[in-house]
C-alpha cells in the first residue's frame, strides 16, 4: 500500500503550544532523514474516485513507459485528472494526458525507439579519434554529447498543442533555469515544443534550450516529480498520485563503466528526491491525500535502453498497476 500518514493538527491549550512546535520540528527532521516509501498499490481513499486529483509524473527515460501505462489505466478507468504535472520524460506524458487521446499515448510508447529520442553527434565520434587532451578540449566545446533533433521531431510530430490548450486538464511542465538556478514552469497556455525540449534536456547529454531568452534544461534538477510545484500551482486538488518508476525491490548494478556510474548516481539522486519531496508535500499540505505509487515488479529497463519488448512490458505492467490502484478508490 501507499505510505500515506495523517499529520497531527496544530492547536490545543496555549500552555502546550511550545510542545506542538517541538512536534512540528521533529516531523520536519523525520521527513529529511526518513524519506517516503513507495508501494505497488494505492491505499484505500476516503475520497470518491472523481475527487479532483493531480497526476505527477517523474519520467526516467525509457522507464516512462510504465508511467504511461499507469496514466492510460487511470484514464480508461474513469479518472479525469484536474492536473497533470511532469518533468523530463514525465513532461511528455503529462501533456499527452491533457491531450486526452489514450490510444495515441500508448502507441507512442509502444513504438518508441532510441533513434527517435537521441543520436550521437558525429563530432563526438570524431573527437574520440583525436590524441590525448584534444579529445577533452573538443568535447568541452560541443556543449552536449547527443543531437537533439530526433527528440524535437518526435515531440513536434506527436503532440497537438491546440488540443492541450483547450483541454480541461491543467498542465504543469517543469524546467530548470540554469542562470537563475530555479524552476520555470509552463502551463496549457505557454507550453511549446521548445519548453518540452527543455524539460527533457539532461545537462551534458542534450544542449540547453533557449525559451524567451532564458537557457532552460531538464526540470528534474529542481523537481524530478514536481509534486510541490503541482500543489503550489493554484489548481485545487484533494488527492495527488505521484508516480515513481522504480519498484521497492529494484536495485542498481555495480557500475563498471563511466556511463553506468553516471546512470546509477543520477537514478539514486532521483529516487531520493522524489521520496523526500513527497514527504515534504504531506507535511506542507496535510489536507490533501498524497499517494506514492511504484511498479509492482522491477522494470528491467535503463533510462536509455529503448528496447521494444521491454517498453511494451513496462507499459503493460503500468496498466495493471494503474487498474489495481483504481480498485482501492470508491466510485
Amino acid at each position: 500500500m501507499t505510505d500515506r500518514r495523517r499529520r497531527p493538527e496544530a492547536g490545543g491549550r496555549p500552555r502546550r503550544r511550545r510542545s506542538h512546535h517541538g512536534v512540528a520540528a521533529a516531523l520536519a527532521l523525520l521527513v529529511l532523514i526518513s524519506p517516503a516509501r513507495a508501494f505497488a498499490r494505492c491505499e484505500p481513499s476516503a475520497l470518491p474516485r472523481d475527487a479532483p486529483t493531480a497526476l505527477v509524473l517523474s519520467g526516467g527515460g525509457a522507464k516512462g513507459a510504465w508511467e504511461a501505462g499507469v496514466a492510460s489505466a487511470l484514464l480508461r478507468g474513469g479518472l479525469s485528472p484536474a492536473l497533470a504535472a511532469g518533468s523530463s520524460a514525465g513532461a511528455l506524458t503529462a501533456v499527452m494526458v491533457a491531450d486526452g487521446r489514450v490510444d495515441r499515448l500508448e502507441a507512442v510508447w509502444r513504438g518508441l525507439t532510441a533513434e527517435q529520442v537521441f543520436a550521437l553527434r558525429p563530432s563526438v565520434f570524431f573527437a574520440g579519434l583525436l590524441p590525448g587532451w584534444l579529445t577533452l578540449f573538443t568535447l568541452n566545446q560541443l556543449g552536449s554529447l547527443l543531437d537533439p533533433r530526433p527528440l524535437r521531431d518526435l515531440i513536434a510530430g506527436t503532440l497537438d498543442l491546440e488540443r492541450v490548450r483547450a483541454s480541461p486538464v491543467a498542465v504543469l511542465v517543469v524546467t530548470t533555469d540554469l542562470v537563475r538556478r530555479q524552476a520555470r514552469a509552463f502551463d496549457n497556455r505557454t507550453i511549446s515544443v521548445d519548453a518540452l525540449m527543455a524539460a527533457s534536456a539532461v545537462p551534458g547529454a542534450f544542449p540547453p534550450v533557449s525559451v524567451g531568452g532564458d537557457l532552460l534544461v531538464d526540470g528534474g534538477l529542481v523537481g524530478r516529480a514536481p509534486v510541490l510545484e503541482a500543489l503550489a500551482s493554484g489548481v485545487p486538488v484533494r488527492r495527488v498520485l505521484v508516480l515513481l518508476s522504480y519498484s521497492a525491490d529494484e536495485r542498481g548494478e555495480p557500475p563498471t563503466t563511466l556511463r553506468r556510474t553516471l546512470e546509477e548516481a543520477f537514478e539514486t539522486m532521483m529516487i531520493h528526491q522524489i521520496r523526500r519531496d513527497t514527504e515534504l508535500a504531506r507535511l506542507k499540505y496535510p489536507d490533501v491525500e498524497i499517494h506514492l505509487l511504484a511498479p509492482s515488479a522491477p522494470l528491467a529497463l535503463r533510462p536509455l535502453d529503448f528496447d521494444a519488448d521491454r517498453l511494451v512490458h513496462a507499459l503493460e505492467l503500468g496498466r495493471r498497476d494503474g487498474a489495481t490502484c483504481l480498485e482501492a478508490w470508491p466510485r
Side-chain angles (χ1 to χ4, degrees):
M1 290 187 178
T2 308
D3 180 24
R4 180 177 57 80
R5 296 183 291 276
R6 296 180 60 86
R7 302 296 179 193
E9 297 179 355
R13 291 176 293 179
R15 68 183 183 184
R16 300 187 64 180
R17 187 172 300 169
R18 182 173 299 177
S19 66
H20 285 269
H21 290 169
V23 170
L27 282 173
L29 179 62
L30 181 64
V31 164
L32 295 177
I33 63 177
S34 302
R37 294 181 62 194
F39 293 86
R41 65 170 56 235
C42 294
E43 183 176 83
S45 174
L47 302 172
R49 187 174 295 186
D50 61 356
T53 299
L55 179 61
V56 179
L57 303 115
S58 60
K63 289 175 176 286
W66 175 81
E67 296 189 349
V70 174
S72 172
L74 297 178
L75 294 174
R76 292 185 185 279
L79 182 72
S80 297
L83 171 67
S87 65
S88 197
L92 177 61
T93 300
V95 171
M96 295 192 73
V97 167
D99 180 292
R101 292 177 290 177
V102 182
D103 290 341
R104 179 67 170 159
L105 169 64
E106 291 186 4
V108 168
W109 279 99
R110 286 183 188 277
L112 202 58
T113 65
E115 291 75 18
Q116 290 177 288
V117 179
F118 62 86
L120 191 67
R121 289 182 182 272
S123 49
V124 172
F125 172 78
F126 289 113
L129 303 179
L130 296 174
W133 63 270
L134 285 177
T135 296
L136 296 177
F137 177 80
T138 303
L139 289 175
N140 184 56
Q141 298 303 309
L142 292 177
S144 70
L145 298 176
L146 303 179
D147 185 344
R149 286 177 294 183
L151 181 59
R152 179 175 290 275
D153 291 342
L154 172 68
I155 291 174
T158 297
L159 300 176
D160 184 343
L161 293 182
E162 291 309 312
R163 287 179 61 91
V164 176
R165 300 192 204 290
S167 175
V169 179
V171 164
L172 182 71
V173 168
V174 176
T175 67
T176 303
D177 186 322
L178 279 181
V179 176
R180 293 181 175 85
R181 295 177 179 173
Q182 63 187 24
R184 179 173 172 183
F186 296 85
D187 58 17
N188 302 61
R189 182 180 59 84
T190 58
I191 194 63
S192 65
V193 172
D194 283 341
L196 287 165
M197 285 294 298
S200 302
V202 178
F206 290 110
V209 180
S210 178
V211 181
D214 297 325
L215 287 178
L216 308 180
V217 296
D218 191 339
L221 295 182
V222 291
R224 173 52 57 183
V227 56
L228 293 168
E229 290 81 359
L231 287 168
S233 68
V235 178
V237 297
R238 299 178 63 193
R239 176 171 55 215
V240 176
L241 178 59
V242 181
L243 302 185
L244 169 63
S245 54
Y246 293 81
S247 76
D249 298 328
E250 187 168 350
R251 298 291 181 266
E253 300 176 0
T256 56
T257 65
L258 176 60
R259 172 185 166 180
R260 289 293 190 222
T261 300
L262 293 175
E263 281 186 345
E264 292 295 349
F266 180 79
E267 292 179 273
T268 298
M269 289 188 294
M270 182 175 79
I271 292 168
H272 283 270
Q273 184 188 82
I274 293 171
R275 291 174 173 171
R276 180 199 63 204
D277 287 354
T278 299
E279 280 294 358
L280 287 174
R282 288 169 175 161
L283 183 64
K284 190 172 182 180
Y285 300 92
D287 296 329
V288 179
E289 276 191 7
I290 300 178
H291 303 256
L292 181 60
L293 182 67
S296 54
L299 299 182
L301 267 176
R302 308 292 303 185
L304 296 180
D305 292 340
F306 290 89
D307 176 82
D309 292 338
R310 292 181 179 181
L311 286 176
V312 171
H313 170 76
L315 181 73
E316 293 301 327
L317 181 64
R319 290 184 60 176
R320 293 195 296 271
D321 290 342
T324 301
C325 177
L326 279 183
E327 291 174 359
W329 294 351
R331 291 187 180 274

